[in-house]
Amino acid sequence: MPAPTTPTPAVVDLLGLVALGELLAFDRMAADARLAPDLRRRAALSEMAAAEIGNYRRLADRLAALDVPPDDAMAPYVGPLQAYHDSTEPKDWAEAVTKAYVGDAITDDFLREIAGTLDGPDRQLVLDVLHESRYADFAAAEIRVAIEADPRVANRLSMWARRLVGEALSQAGRVAAADRGPLTALIAQGEQVDVQGLFRRLTAAHTARMAAVGLNN
Amino acid sequence: MPAPTTPTPAVVDLLGLVALGELLAFDRMAADARLAPDLRRRAALSEMAAAEIGNYRRLADRLAALDVPPDDAMAPYVGPLQAYHDSTEPKDWAEAVTKAYVGDAITDDFLREIAGTLDGPDRQLVLDVLHESRYADFAAAEIRVAIEADPRVANRLSMWARRLVGEALSQAGRVAAADRGPLTALIAQGEQVDVQGLFRRLTAAHTARMAAVGLNN
C-alpha cells in the first residue's frame, strides 16, 4: 500500500481541532482541580492540565510552520468544543476525574485512528500528543477510591460518563458541520478510516475502560 | 566565609511556601487566561501557568525526598497565599498580565536572595524554579500594547500594581506570623540576609521594572 498523501487543508483542520481541544482541556481541567479534596490531588489534576498546554504549543508551532495562524485554524471549532465543556461541568471531584478519564481516552483513541491517515511528521506529532498513561492511571485510581468509599457513587458516575459521551457525540456532529470539508473527508476517506468501524472501535474501548474502573456503560 | 549550614525545618518551610506559591499561581493564571482577547494570548498565559506546575512538581518531589508530605509543608501558607489571590483578582486582560509581570518578578527576586542561604541541591532547586525571562517579556509587551492603545490605562495599571505590592506585603506579614519559626529565622539570619536591605533591593528592582513598561510606582 502506498503511503497516503494528505491534503494540507485537512491537516490544518485536524491540527486546529486538536490544538483547540488541548487549550480548552487545559482551561477546564485547571478549573476542575479546585474540586480536589486536598492539595496533592489538586496538583495532580493541575499537572494533567499543564500537559495539555505543552501539547497545544507543539500543535500551534506546527500550524505556524505551515503558515497558518493557529487562531484561524481553531476558530471553526470554538463553538462546539466550548459547548461540550459548558454542558459537562463537573460538580465534584469524582465527576472531574471521571471526565478526565473518559475524555482523554476517547480523544486518544480517535487520534490514534486518524494518525494513520497522515503523512510523516504530522502523523508523529499527533501520536506524540497522546496522553501519558500515568494520568489515566491516576484518574482511574481516584474513581475506584470514590466507589470504594461509597458504592452508590458507581451509578451516579456511570450516568455521568454516559452524559459525557452523549454530549461529546452531539458536539462531534457540530464539529463535522462546522468543518469546511477537508477534515470530514479525511476521516471518511475510503479504506483509510471506515467511519462505522471507527465508531464501533471507540465505543468498545470506552466500554472496556468503564468496566475497568467499576462503571457500567 | 564557610558554606552556610541550613537547618532542615527552614528548608522544608521554604520549599512548602514556594511549592504552594507555584500551585496557586498556576490556578489563578489558568483562570486569568480566560480574560485574553484572543486564543493566542490565552494560550500564552496558559503556558505561563503550566510552567508553574512543572516547578511545583520539582519542589514537591524534593519535599517527598526529605520525607515530608508536600501537603503538610504547604498547609501553614494556604490562608495568606489564597487571601493574596482572592484580594487581587484581575478584572481584565491588562490587569492579568500586570499581575503576572509584577508577581513573578518579585517572587524571583525574593528567591534569588534566599537561595544564597541554602545548601547545594536546595539552592540549585530554588534557582531552577525561577521564571523564564520570555514570560516576563511577553507580559511586558502586553502591558506596553495596552498603554499604547489607551494612555490612560497607565494610571490605572500603576494603581493596580501598587495594590498588588501592598496586598503581597500584607500577606507576607501573615506568612511570617504563620511560620513556625525556622523560615523567618532563615530569612533574617545575620549577615546572610539583611531584612531591611532585602526589602530595599526588592523595592528598587520593582520600581525599575514598573518604569520599564511605562508604569509609575
Side-chain angles (χ1 to χ4, degrees):
Chain A
M1 192 170 66
T5 53
T6 309
T8 297
V11 174
V12 167
D13 284 356
L14 178 67
L15 297 181
L17 172 61
V18 180
L20 183 67
E22 304 272 8
L23 189 55
L24 295 189
F26 165 83
D27 175 72
R28 297 311 175 113
M29 258 188 221
D32 293 351
R34 294 185 182 183
L35 297 168
D38 55 39
L39 293 172
R40 182 185 68 78
R41 290 180 169 95
R42 178 169 171 166
L45 197 61
S46 301
E47 282 181 68
M48 288 178 72
E52 308 279 353
I53 206 74
N55 289 335
Y56 164 84
R57 170 50 47 206
R58 298 190 59 176
L59 295 156
D61 286 349
R62 175 64 180 155
L63 283 164
L66 293 170
D67 277 329
V68 180
D71 279 38
D72 293 355
M74 295 190 284
Y77 309 113
V78 171
L81 266 65
Q82 196 87 53
Y84 167 72
H85 286 293
D86 287 347
S87 64
T88 58
E89 220 165 285
K91 68 173 188 299
D92 62 17
W93 176 245
E95 290 191 358
V97 290
T98 302
K99 181 174 174 182
Y101 179 73
V102 168
D104 284 5
I106 292 184
T107 304
D108 285 355
D109 283 348
F110 170 74
L111 291 181
R112 257 186 231 103
E113 295 264 356
I114 218 74
T117 67
L118 300 174
D119 282 332
D122 292 311
R123 171 186 299 183
Q124 195 51 51
L125 176 56
V126 165
L127 292 174
D128 284 352
V129 301
L130 299 178
H131 297 88
E132 289 179 43
S133 58
R134 66 191 166 104
Y135 296 132
D137 295 344
F138 167 77
E142 289 298 309
I143 296 170
R144 288 193 195 98
V145 165
I147 294 174
E148 207 161 294
D150 178 4
R152 288 167 309 174
V153 165
N155 255 332
R156 178 164 70 85
L157 292 183
S158 297
M159 279 190 350
W160 170 243
R162 285 196 289 276
R163 229 186 90 201
L164 292 170
V165 173
E167 294 289 344
L169 281 178
S170 146
Q171 297 307 330
R174 285 187 63 198
V175 164
D179 178 46
R180 289 154 296 189
L183 177 59
T184 319
L186 174 73
I187 296 173
Q189 74 185 234
E191 43 179 0
Q192 278 303 319
V193 181
D194 140 39
V195 179
Q196 295 296 325
L198 169 65
F199 184 75
R200 208 168 45 236
R201 288 189 296 277
L202 293 186
T203 308
H206 169 71
T207 304
R209 276 190 304 268
M210 291 294 93
V213 291
L215 301 181
N216 46 63
N217 204 35
Chain B
M1 192 169 67
T5 53
T6 308
T8 298
V11 173
V12 166
D13 284 356
L14 178 67
L15 297 181
L17 172 62
V18 180
L20 183 66
E22 304 273 6
L23 189 55
L24 295 188
F26 165 82
D27 175 72
R28 297 311 175 112
M29 259 188 219
D32 293 351
R34 294 184 183 184
L35 298 169
D38 55 40
L39 293 172
R40 182 185 68 78
R41 290 181 169 96
R42 178 169 171 166
L45 197 61
S46 302
E47 282 180 68
M48 287 178 71
E52 308 279 354
I53 206 74
N55 289 335
Y56 164 84
R57 170 50 47 206
R58 298 190 59 177
L59 294 156
D61 286 349
R62 176 62 181 156
L63 283 164
L66 294 169
D67 276 330
V68 180
D71 279 38
D72 293 355
M74 295 190 285
Y77 309 113
V78 171
L81 265 64
Q82 195 87 52
Y84 167 72
H85 286 292
D86 287 347
S87 64
T88 58
E89 220 165 285
K91 68 172 188 300
D92 62 17
W93 176 244
E95 290 191 0
V97 290
T98 301
K99 182 174 175 182
Y101 179 74
V102 169
D104 284 5
I106 292 185
T107 303
D108 286 356
D109 282 349
F110 170 74
L111 290 181
R112 258 186 230 103
E113 295 264 357
I114 218 73
T117 67
L118 300 175
D119 282 332
D122 292 311
R123 172 187 299 183
Q124 195 51 53
L125 176 56
V126 165
L127 292 174
D128 284 351
V129 301
L130 299 179
H131 297 88
E132 289 179 43
S133 58
R134 65 190 167 105
Y135 295 133
D137 294 344
F138 167 76
E142 289 298 310
I143 296 170
R144 288 193 194 97
V145 166
I147 294 174
E148 206 161 295
D150 178 4
R152 287 167 309 174
V153 165
N155 256 332
R156 178 163 70 85
L157 292 183
S158 296
M159 278 188 352
W160 170 242
R162 285 196 289 274
R163 227 186 91 201
L164 292 171
V165 172
E167 293 289 345
L169 282 178
S170 146
Q171 298 307 330
R174 284 187 63 199
V175 164
D179 178 46
R180 287 155 296 190
L183 177 59
T184 320
L186 174 73
I187 295 173
Q189 75 184 232
E191 43 179 0
Q192 278 304 316
V193 181
D194 140 40
V195 179
Q196 294 297 325
L198 169 65
F199 184 75
R200 208 169 42 237
R201 288 189 296 276
L202 293 186
T203 308
H206 169 71
T207 304
R209 276 191 304 268
M210 291 294 93
V213 290
L215 300 181
N216 46 63
N217 204 34

